[in-house]
């Protein structure tokens, strides 16, 4: 995800890359994302099978066992009235655009979403004026491929997300 901010891991050589890739494939890494979404999101686990083309040229969920299993655990961090929610997403799997697809298909697209935004009748319009997709990789944990040590990294929310949150919090308090 080009627009996603936060943590990413790079291998310095091919053997290390293989070991890291295997950890991601086996879902032994720890990944926590923060996302600002439209609407009042609730806690829950989203499970679906993602395909490259759901019939309209875009990635998405497919009925039955077609596609690859994708599991996202969602928990609200802060409700901003009924209009927006800051949510935490923990990945059990790691499919391309998994969080963006799962949240959008549940009627809570990530603010700033342009690709996976649902039809307006399924979700309220995104009035956040977000400059990009408001998705941030906040935590990343894995086993170091050489030393075997468990490593864990965190990244605070970047300024652009903090600015959007501050503006939305201010608008919410003025509406009271």
């Amino acid at each position: 995800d080009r627009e996603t901010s936060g943590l990413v891991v790079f291998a310095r050589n091919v053997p290390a890359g293989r070991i890291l890739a295997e950890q991601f494939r086996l879902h032994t890494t720890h990944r926590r994302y923060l996302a600002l979404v439209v609407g009042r999101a609730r806690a829950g686990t989203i499970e679906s099978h993602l395909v490259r083309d759901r019939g309209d040229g875009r990635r998405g969920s497919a009925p039955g066992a077609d596609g690859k299993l994708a599991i996202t655990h969602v928990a609200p961090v802060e409700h901003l009235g009924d209009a927006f929610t800051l949510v935490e997403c923990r990945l059990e799997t790691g499919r391309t655009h998994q969080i963006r697809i799962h949240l959008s298909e549940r009627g809570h697209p990530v603010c700033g979403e342009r690709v996976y935004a649902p039809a307006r009748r399924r979700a309220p319009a995104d009035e956040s004026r977000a400059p990009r997709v408001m998705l941030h990789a906040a935590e990343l944990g894995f086993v170091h491929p050489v030393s075997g040590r468990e490593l864990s990294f965190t990244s605070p929310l970047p300024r652009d997300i903090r600015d959007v949150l501050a503006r939305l919090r201010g608008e919410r308090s003025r509406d009271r």
Side-chain angles (χ1 to χ4, degrees):
D1 280 349
R2 231 176 304 164
E3 291 189 351
T4 301
S5 58
L7 298 164
V8 64
V9 62
F10 291 95
R12 292 181 64 179
N13 56 52
V14 173
R18 286 188 184 121
I19 293 168
L20 287 169
E22 184 70 1
Q23 289 180 54
F24 280 94
R25 189 182 72 72
L26 295 173
H27 314 299
T28 60
T29 58
H30 167 76
R31 290 165 290 164
R32 184 176 72 92
Y33 289 77
L34 293 171
L36 180 61
V37 302
V38 176
R40 189 172 183 86
R42 297 186 325 239
T45 297
I46 303 169
E47 185 173 329
S48 71
H49 288 85
L50 297 181
V51 294
R52 289 184 188 269
D53 184 347
R54 61 186 181 191
D56 61 359
R58 294 200 174 126
R59 293 179 188 274
S61 295
D66 289 344
K68 293 184 178 182
L69 179 64
I71 302 171
T72 306
H73 303 282
V74 179
V77 173
E78 178 183 1
H79 290 289
L80 297 141
D82 289 333
F84 302 98
T85 308
L86 180 65
V87 296
E88 169 186 282
C89 299
R90 292 190 183 268
L91 295 180
E92 216 173 287
T93 57
R95 309 295 178 213
T96 302
H97 300 169
Q98 174 177 323
I99 293 171
R100 293 168 59 192
I101 293 167
H102 273 169
L103 291 171
S104 183
E105 289 179 347
R106 293 306 183 268
H108 299 290
V110 177
C111 292
E113 181 63 68
R114 291 174 305 282
V115 176
Y116 301 107
R120 284 187 186 253
R121 66 184 177 277
R122 288 190 42 220
D126 179 3
E127 304 286 338
S128 69
R129 301 188 316 268
R132 66 169 177 91
V133 174
M134 296 282 100
L135 180 60
H136 177 70
E139 290 180 15
L140 176 62
F142 56 91
V143 174
H144 190 279
V146 176
S147 72
R149 284 188 19 214
E150 287 193 28
L151 302 177
S152 182
F153 301 91
T154 61
S155 174
L157 283 174
R159 175 166 285 308
D160 62 347
I161 296 179
R162 291 193 322 263
D163 288 348
V164 170
L165 281 167
R167 183 172 38 75
L168 295 174
R169 287 172 182 138
E171 288 175 5
R172 190 184 85 199
S173 65
R174 281 196 303 270
D175 291 341
R176 290 182 185 185

